[in-house]
Amino acid sequence: MAAAAATASRAWRLLRGSGAFHGRAAIQRLWDPPAQRRLFSNNKILVELDENTGVAVMKMKSPPVNSQTLEFLTEFSISLEKLENDRAYRGLILTSATPKIFSAGLDITEMCGKSEEHYAEFWRAVQEMWLKLYMSRLVTIAAINGSSPAGGCLMAVSCDYRIMAENPKYGIGLNETRLGIVAPFWFKDTMINTIGHRATEQALQMGLLYPAPQALSIGIVDQLVPEEKVQDVAAAAMTQWLAIPDHARLITKSAMRKPTVDRLLTHREADIQNFVSFISRDSIQKSLQVYLEMLKGKKG
Amino acid sequence: MAAAAATASRAWRLLRGSGAFHGRAAIQRLWDPPAQRRLFSNNKILVELDENTGVAVMKMKSPPVNSQTLEFLTEFSISLEKLENDRAYRGLILTSATPKIFSAGLDITEMCGKSEEHYAEFWRAVQEMWLKLYMSRLVTIAAINGSSPAGGCLMAVSCDYRIMAENPKYGIGLNETRLGIVAPFWFKDTMINTIGHRATEQALQMGLLYPAPQALSIGIVDQLVPEEKVQDVAAAAMTQWLAIPDHARLITKSAMRKPTVDRLLTHREADIQNFVSFISRDSIQKSLQVYLEMLKGKKG
Amino acid sequence: MAAAAATASRAWRLLRGSGAFHGRAAIQRLWDPPAQRRLFSNNKILVELDENTGVAVMKMKSPPVNSQTLEFLTEFSISLEKLENDRAYRGLILTSATPKIFSAGLDITEMCGKSEEHYAEFWRAVQEMWLKLYMSRLVTIAAINGSSPAGGCLMAVSCDYRIMAENPKYGIGLNETRLGIVAPFWFKDTMINTIGHRATEQALQMGLLYPAPQALSIGIVDQLVPEEKVQDVAAAAMTQWLAIPDHARLITKSAMRKPTVDRLLTHREADIQNFVSFISRDSIQKSLQVYLEMLKGKKG
C-alpha cells in the first residue's frame, strides 16, 4: 500500500507538472501548498489530507446551511474525483464546517424561476454527486454534526457508515413531500437499501425528519455519539474499515450497490427530463415560491 | 383542494342525475340520504363520510367474522371505487363493525365444492380488492379492532398505516399454510414489503398468527393502542398523513408500490388459472372440507 | 404420508437391490445396517435417522474444524440427496460432531496452489451444496453448536431456522474480505434474504464475525439457547415446523427462494469462471499462502 501510495503521489506530481490540470489552476494552488501537501479547497468544500493515514476529511463550508447549489455540487464532485484518482487516499470522512447543520440539501433557489436548461444542468449535477459518492472506491464515513434533511440525508445514506451527533434537535430524513416535491427514485432506492421497504414507504410519504435518537433506532444512522466526539469516532471507525483489504472490500461494495446505480444510469436522461417537467409546473413553482418567502420571513 | 372537492362533488351529482348509475339504485339511495350526504352502505360494507375532514370510515359488517365472500369483495371494491372517484375524500379508515374480528379473510365456502368458473370469478374479486386498496390514491389507515388472519391480514398490510388494538388475544398474519393452502405471490410480496424477506419466509412457511404485541415487534402493525381508542388514534394519525400535499405523497406511494402491483397485473390471468387448478385438486378440496367441518363443529 | 414413506423406502430397497448404487458400496453399507436402518455415514458426514419422527440429524465430523473440502462437500451433497429422495424423511437438523465449531467454511487448501480444473471442480461442489440445501424440500434447521464463519455461515443461513449456542466466543458471519477474498453474489443474496440489505452491506464489506448475542440481534440466527440444549431445542422447533402440511410449506418456501437460486442457475458457469480467474491471481494466491502459513504457525 505504501508503495502504491508513493506511485500515485508521483503520478499526481507528474500530471500537475505537465500542465494537464492547467484549467483548474486556482484549485491546484490550494491543493498543493508549498511546504507539504495537506489541504485543498475551493469556495464551498475544504479538504484536509493526511497522507500517513490515507484519510481525507471533506468539510462542507457553505454557510448558513450548506445548501447544495450548482456550484456546491460541482465543487463537491471535483473534489471527490480528485481523491478517487489519488491512490494515496483510501478513506473519506464527510462532515460539515458549518455549525448545527450537516447539509440542508438541494438549494431551492436553483429550482425556482430558472430556465429549463438550468434545471437540467442542476439535476445532472445532483445525479453526479450521488453517483460518485455512492460508488466511491474510498471508504466513506459521514460524520453528521448537524441537521441533514433531503439532499443532506441523501449524502449521508450514500456513505458506507454514519455517525451522528446525539443531539435530538438535529433531524435527518427525506422530507421532500413536505415541500410538495418528490424524492426521485434513486433517493428512494438508496433509502430502501438503508432502512428497508416499509420504513422508507412511511418516511418518504410523510416526509419524516427523524431526530437523532429515532434516526438510530430506524437505522438511518449507525451510531450516535456526543457532538464533540463525532470527528474522533469517525476517525476511529475509519481505522477499522481500513483494516480490510481494499480490493476485496471494493468488489463487495460494488456488488451491493451496482444494481441501484445501474437503474439511474439506464434512465439518467429520462430522470432529468422528468425532473425538469415536474419542477417547471406552475403549481410546483408556486409552492416553492411560498416556501422561499417563508424561509426569508424566518431569516428577516 | 376545496375547489377540486366541489367540482368532484358536482360531477357525482351530474352523473347520478343522468341515471348513469341506474343499475346501482339500491346503493345510490343509501349513498345520498335526503338531508345530507353522510353515509352509504350495502349489505356488507358501511361507509361513513365526513366532508369536513375529507375522511371516510369504511366498516366491514358481515357477522360473525367478516368473511370475504364474493359478495363482500364486490361490495368492498365498489365502495372503494366510489371514494376513489370522489375528490371530496382524501383519506380512508378501514375497520370492522363486528366485535373482536377485523376480517377472518377469504371465505372458505367460496373455494369449496364450487365450479371452476366460480373459483375464477372469486379469485378475480380477491385480486381486485387488493389492486384497488394497495394502490389507492387515498391515505389508507387500518384500524384493526380484532383478529385479522389471512385475507384480513392482507387488507391490513395493504393500507398505508396500521393501528391495532393491543389485546393479545387478537392475532394477525398470513396463516394459509395451516389450512394446507398457500398465500399467492402478491400476498407474499405485500408481506415482504411490510416486514422484510426473512420474517416473511418464516411467517408464511409456518403460517404464523402473531398476537398483537408480537405483530408490533415484527412490524406487521405500526402502533398498538387500547381497544377503545383504536378509532380515535386512527383519526389522529389520518390528520398527520393529510398534512402532506396529496400529489407529492401519491407519486411517492406509487413509486414504492407499483413494481409489486405490476407483477400481478402482468400475470393476472395466469394467477387465476393457478388458483383454480390448485384449489380444484381433490387433496385440497378434502382438506378444506375437513376444516369446514371442524369450524361447524366449533360453532355447533 | 406414512404410505408415501413406505413407498419411498421400498423404492430405495429396490434400487439398492439392483446394484444401481454399486459404485457407492462403502456408503451403502453404512446406510443400511443389518438390524435396522438408523444411521448412515461416510468419511465426513454422519446421518442419524429416526423413521418415527421423520427427522434426520446430519452431523459434520471432519476435525479439527469441519473445513469444507471437495470431499466434504461431495459427501454432504450425496447425503442430502439421499434424504431428499427418501419420503420417510421430512426434516433435517444440521449440526456439528466437532466441539466448538459448526464449520470453518471452505477449505483454503482447495483454493491454493492447485490447477484451474481443480478450482472449477471445487467451486461447482460449493454451488451444489448451496443449491441443494437452500432449496431442500425438507424442513432444515441449523443447530449451530460452535463458530460458523464464511462457508459455515452460508450453510446456516441456507436453512429454514437457526438455533445457536449462546456462547459469546462463538462467531458467525461472512468474513471473506478479512482474507482478501470475496463472498460470491449468491452468498451475498442469501445474506440479504436473512438480515436485509444494509446489515449485509456492512457485514460483508467489513467481514464481520458476529458473536452469538450480536448474531441474534442482527438476525443471522433466530434463537440462542444454552450450549447443552441446542439439539433438544432444534428437535422441538422441528416438531413445530412439521405441524405444517409439507405441500403448502414447500410451495411457499420455493416462492420465497426460487428467484435467488435462479440467479445462480442462470450464471452458474460464469460464476465458476469468475471464481477460477479471481483465485488464480498471483496476488490472491500470495495472500492465501500468507494466511495458511499463519494458520500453521498457530497450530504448531
Side-chain angles (χ1 to χ4, degrees):
Chain A
M1 194 63 226
T7 310
S9 181
R10 188 164 54 243
W12 263 107
R13 275 193 295 274
L14 287 171
L15 274 171
R16 281 179 278 128
S18 75
F21 285 84
H22 187 74
R24 292 176 189 166
I27 294 169
Q28 291 307 323
R29 275 195 302 275
L30 282 157
W31 167 269
D32 203 354
Q36 193 182 352
R37 197 179 77 183
R38 288 185 52 208
L39 172 87
F40 69 91
S41 176
N42 43 38
N43 286 326
K44 308 293 186 186
I45 305 285
L46 171 74
V47 182
E48 294 170 359
L49 300 164
D50 184 336
E51 275 202 25
N52 294 326
T53 60
V55 177
V57 178
M58 192 184 284
K59 294 185 173 172
M60 300 180 273
K61 57 169 188 72
S62 185
V65 293
N66 293 337
S67 289
Q68 299 173 18
T69 58
L70 179 56
E71 183 189 6
F72 177 101
L73 291 165
T74 306
E75 293 187 359
F76 178 89
S77 290
I78 290 174
S79 302
L80 183 49
E81 177 79 11
K82 269 194 207 173
L83 293 170
E84 292 291 329
N85 291 331
D86 186 343
R87 293 285 151 174
Y89 296 97
R90 300 174 58 215
L92 168 68
I93 293 172
L94 179 62
T95 193
S96 166
T98 310
K100 297 184 186 170
I101 193 88
F102 182 71
S103 164
L106 307 186
D107 192 303
I108 306 285
T109 62
E110 300 279 14
M111 310 188 225
C112 216
K114 301 283 199 301
S115 69
E116 296 207 347
E117 289 67 31
H118 183 84
Y119 297 149
E121 186 184 3
F122 176 64
W123 200 246
R124 191 179 300 277
V126 179
Q127 292 175 335
E128 195 63 27
M129 170 269 281
W130 177 72
L131 289 168
K132 280 202 158 51
L133 184 56
Y134 198 57
M135 286 301 269
S136 173
R137 70 161 183 88
L138 302 159
V139 173
T140 52
I141 294 183
I144 310 165
N145 50 351
S147 281
S148 196
C153 176
L154 178 73
M155 273 189 166
V157 293
S158 299
C159 290
D160 293 316
Y161 194 72
R162 287 162 283 287
I163 294 153
M164 188 169 185
E166 65 191 3
N167 189 335
K169 290 185 182 167
Y170 296 161
I172 184 167
L174 296 177
N175 60 332
E176 280 80 353
T177 57
R178 300 259 159 192
L179 318 189
I181 56 177
V182 178
F185 73 89
W186 37 286
F187 281 52
K188 164 190 72 82
D189 289 347
T190 311
M191 199 67 160
I192 292 175
N193 288 352
T194 308
I195 62 173
H197 192 281
R198 169 58 191 156
T200 299
E201 198 176 69
Q202 187 176 357
L204 266 65
Q205 280 200 70
M206 298 193 74
L208 296 175
L209 270 188
Y210 294 87
Q214 282 74 29
L216 178 66
S217 63
I218 209 162
I220 301 181
V221 300
D222 299 301
Q223 201 177 344
L224 292 191
V225 299
E227 194 155 352
E228 68 277 13
K229 295 193 175 168
V230 169
Q231 309 300 336
D232 287 352
V233 172
M238 182 61 81
T239 304
Q240 292 190 299
W241 281 78
L242 293 182
I244 308 300
D246 282 343
H247 73 279
R249 183 189 53 73
L250 197 48
I251 294 173
T252 303
K253 179 174 180 172
S254 175
M256 293 297 302
R257 298 191 166 191
K258 195 166 176 301
T260 305
V261 160
D262 283 347
R263 277 196 293 277
L264 177 57
L265 290 178
T266 309
H267 302 104
R268 189 168 184 176
E269 298 307 318
D271 182 60
I272 291 172
Q273 283 315 309
N274 190 45
F275 172 76
V276 170
S277 68
F278 179 81
I279 213 73
S280 304
R281 284 189 210 167
D282 281 352
S283 58
I284 302 300
Q285 284 294 312
K286 267 175 205 161
S287 72
L288 291 178
Q289 287 287 4
V290 168
Y291 184 73
L292 278 177
E293 294 301 321
M294 191 193 78
L295 287 182
K296 280 178 198 164
K298 265 191 187 173
K299 235 198 269 179
Chain B
M1 192 66 223
T7 310
S9 180
R10 189 164 51 242
W12 263 108
R13 275 194 294 274
L14 287 171
L15 275 171
R16 280 181 278 127
S18 75
F21 286 83
H22 189 73
R24 293 175 188 167
I27 295 168
Q28 290 307 324
R29 274 197 301 276
L30 282 156
W31 167 269
D32 203 354
Q36 193 183 352
R37 198 179 76 181
R38 289 184 51 209
L39 171 87
F40 69 90
S41 176
N42 44 37
N43 286 326
K44 308 292 188 188
I45 305 284
L46 173 74
V47 182
E48 295 170 358
L49 300 163
D50 184 336
E51 275 202 24
N52 294 327
T53 60
V55 178
V57 178
M58 193 183 284
K59 294 183 173 172
M60 300 181 273
K61 57 168 187 71
S62 184
V65 293
N66 293 336
S67 289
Q68 299 173 17
T69 59
L70 179 56
E71 184 189 4
F72 177 101
L73 291 164
T74 306
E75 293 187 0
F76 178 89
S77 291
I78 290 174
S79 302
L80 183 50
E81 177 79 11
K82 269 195 206 172
L83 293 168
E84 292 291 329
N85 292 331
D86 187 342
R87 294 283 150 174
Y89 296 97
R90 299 174 59 216
L92 168 67
I93 294 172
L94 179 62
T95 192
S96 167
T98 310
K100 297 183 185 169
I101 192 91
F102 182 72
S103 165
L106 307 186
D107 192 303
I108 305 285
T109 61
E110 300 280 13
M111 307 189 226
C112 215
K114 300 285 199 300
S115 69
E116 296 206 347
E117 289 68 30
H118 182 84
Y119 297 148
E121 187 184 3
F122 176 65
W123 199 247
R124 190 179 300 277
V126 179
Q127 292 175 334
E128 194 64 27
M129 170 270 282
W130 177 72
L131 289 168
K132 280 203 158 51
L133 184 56
Y134 198 59
M135 286 300 269
S136 174
R137 71 162 183 86
L138 303 159
V139 172
T140 52
I141 294 182
I144 309 165
N145 51 351
S147 282
S148 196
C153 176
L154 178 72
M155 274 189 165
V157 292
S158 299
C159 290
D160 292 316
Y161 194 72
R162 286 161 285 286
I163 295 153
M164 189 169 184
E166 65 190 4
N167 189 335
K169 289 183 182 168
Y170 296 161
I172 186 168
L174 295 177
N175 61 331
E176 280 81 353
T177 55
R178 299 260 159 190
L179 317 190
I181 57 177
V182 178
F185 73 89
W186 37 286
F187 281 52
K188 165 191 71 83
D189 289 346
T190 311
M191 198 68 160
I192 291 174
N193 288 351
T194 309
I195 62 171
H197 192 281
R198 169 58 191 154
T200 298
E201 198 176 69
Q202 186 176 358
L204 266 65
Q205 280 200 70
M206 299 192 73
L208 296 175
L209 270 187
Y210 294 88
Q214 282 75 29
L216 177 66
S217 63
I218 208 161
I220 301 182
V221 300
D222 299 301
Q223 201 176 345
L224 292 190
V225 299
E227 194 154 352
E228 67 279 12
K229 296 193 175 167
V230 169
Q231 308 301 336
D232 288 352
V233 172
M238 183 59 81
T239 304
Q240 292 190 299
W241 280 78
L242 293 182
I244 308 300
D246 281 343
H247 72 279
R249 184 189 53 74
L250 197 48
I251 294 172
T252 304
K253 179 174 180 173
S254 175
M256 294 297 302
R257 298 190 168 192
K258 195 167 177 301
T260 305
V261 159
D262 283 347
R263 278 196 292 277
L264 177 57
L265 291 178
T266 309
H267 302 103
R268 190 168 183 176
E269 299 307 318
D271 182 61
I272 292 173
Q273 284 315 310
N274 190 45
F275 171 76
V276 170
S277 69
F278 178 81
I279 213 73
S280 304
R281 284 188 210 167
D282 282 352
S283 60
I284 302 300
Q285 284 294 313
K286 266 175 206 163
S287 73
L288 291 177
Q289 287 287 3
V290 168
Y291 184 73
L292 278 177
E293 293 302 320
M294 192 194 77
L295 287 182
K296 281 180 198 164
K298 265 191 187 173
K299 234 198 271 180
Chain C
M1 192 67 221
T7 310
S9 180
R10 190 164 50 243
W12 264 107
R13 274 193 297 272
L14 286 172
L15 276 171
R16 280 179 279 126
S18 75
F21 285 83
H22 188 74
R24 292 174 188 168
I27 294 169
Q28 291 306 323
R29 273 196 302 275
L30 281 156
W31 166 268
D32 203 353
Q36 195 184 351
R37 197 179 77 183
R38 290 184 51 208
L39 173 86
F40 68 90
S41 176
N42 43 38
N43 286 326
K44 308 292 188 187
I45 305 284
L46 172 74
V47 182
E48 295 170 357
L49 300 164
D50 184 336
E51 276 201 23
N52 294 326
T53 60
V55 177
V57 178
M58 193 184 283
K59 293 184 173 172
M60 299 181 275
K61 56 169 190 70
S62 185
V65 292
N66 293 335
S67 289
Q68 299 173 18
T69 58
L70 179 56
E71 183 189 5
F72 177 101
L73 291 164
T74 306
E75 293 187 0
F76 178 88
S77 291
I78 290 174
S79 301
L80 183 49
E81 177 80 10
K82 269 194 207 173
L83 292 169
E84 292 291 329
N85 291 330
D86 186 344
R87 294 284 151 173
Y89 296 98
R90 299 175 58 214
L92 168 68
I93 294 172
L94 179 63
T95 193
S96 167
T98 309
K100 297 183 185 170
I101 193 88
F102 183 71
S103 164
L106 307 186
D107 192 303
I108 306 285
T109 61
E110 301 280 13
M111 309 189 225
C112 215
K114 301 284 200 300
S115 69
E116 296 206 347
E117 288 68 30
H118 183 83
Y119 297 148
E121 186 184 3
F122 176 64
W123 199 247
R124 190 179 300 277
V126 179
Q127 293 176 332
E128 194 63 27
M129 170 270 281
W130 177 73
L131 290 167
K132 280 202 157 51
L133 184 57
Y134 198 57
M135 287 299 270
S136 174
R137 69 161 185 88
L138 303 158
V139 172
T140 51
I141 294 183
I144 309 166
N145 51 351
S147 281
S148 195
C153 176
L154 178 72
M155 274 189 164
V157 293
S158 299
C159 290
D160 293 315
Y161 194 72
R162 285 162 283 288
I163 295 153
M164 190 169 183
E166 66 190 3
N167 189 336
K169 290 184 183 167
Y170 296 162
I172 185 168
L174 295 177
N175 61 331
E176 280 81 354
T177 56
R178 299 258 159 192
L179 316 191
I181 57 176
V182 179
F185 74 88
W186 37 285
F187 281 52
K188 164 190 72 81
D189 290 346
T190 310
M191 198 68 160
I192 291 175
N193 288 352
T194 308
I195 62 172
H197 192 281
R198 169 57 191 155
T200 299
E201 198 175 69
Q202 186 176 357
L204 266 65
Q205 280 200 71
M206 298 192 74
L208 296 175
L209 270 189
Y210 294 88
Q214 282 74 29
L216 178 66
S217 64
I218 208 163
I220 302 182
V221 301
D222 299 300
Q223 201 177 345
L224 292 189
V225 299
E227 194 154 352
E228 68 278 13
K229 294 193 176 167
V230 169
Q231 309 300 336
D232 287 352
V233 173
M238 183 59 81
T239 304
Q240 292 190 298
W241 281 78
L242 293 182
I244 309 300
D246 282 342
H247 72 278
R249 184 190 54 74
L250 197 47
I251 294 172
T252 303
K253 178 174 180 173
S254 175
M256 294 296 302
R257 298 190 166 191
K258 195 166 176 300
T260 305
V261 159
D262 284 347
R263 277 196 292 279
L264 177 57
L265 291 179
T266 308
H267 303 103
R268 190 167 183 177
E269 298 307 318
D271 182 61
I272 292 173
Q273 283 315 310
N274 190 45
F275 171 76
V276 170
S277 69
F278 179 81
I279 214 73
S280 304
R281 285 188 210 167
D282 282 352
S283 59
I284 302 300
Q285 284 294 313
K286 268 174 204 162
S287 72
L288 291 178
Q289 287 288 3
V290 168
Y291 184 73
L292 278 177
E293 293 301 320
M294 192 193 78
L295 286 183
K296 281 179 197 163
K298 266 192 186 172
K299 233 199 270 180

